[in-house]
Amino acid sequence: MAAGCRDCERCTKSWLGRVLENAAVGLMHVCTIGISYLIKRGFRRHCPQCKHLLSRHARRADGSFRD
C-alpha cells in the first residue's frame, strides 16, 4: 500500500487479512446500525498519514512511534 505507514498494523497486513477484517468490521457496523462507525470516527484518534486508528500503530516502550 503506497499511502500506508510501516508502523500501522492494518497497512502491513496481507491483502487476505485486510479483506477479512474489512468484512468483519462492515458487518459490525451494519449490526449496530452505524453506531459503532460514529463512535470510531467521532471519538477515536486517527493517524494523519494512513487514517487508521492510532491505537493500532506500533510504539516503543516510551510511547513514541517506531518510525
Side-chain angles (χ1 to χ4, degrees):
M1 175 177 245
C5 55
R6 67 180 181 191
D7 289 336
C8 182
E9 187 179 314
R10 296 234 7 197
C11 291
T12 57
K13 194 175 280 193
S14 70
W15 69 270
L16 181 60
R18 283 193 307 267
V19 168
L20 294 175
E21 187 171 355
N22 287 340
V25 169
L27 180 63
M28 179 186 66
H29 291 326
V30 169
C31 290
T32 61
I33 314 168
I35 295 171
S36 61
Y37 179 79
L38 293 175
I39 290 172
K40 179 184 179 286
R41 287 291 171 195
F43 298 107
R44 308 281 310 266
R45 295 186 61 185
H46 293 82
C47 175
Q49 183 178 0
C50 67
K51 307 296 186 227
H52 291 133
L53 290 175
L54 276 177
S55 62
R56 305 284 301 260
H57 285 65
R59 296 178 186 252
R60 292 188 189 107
D62 64 356
S64 63
F65 293 108
R66 291 189 189 230
D67 265 339

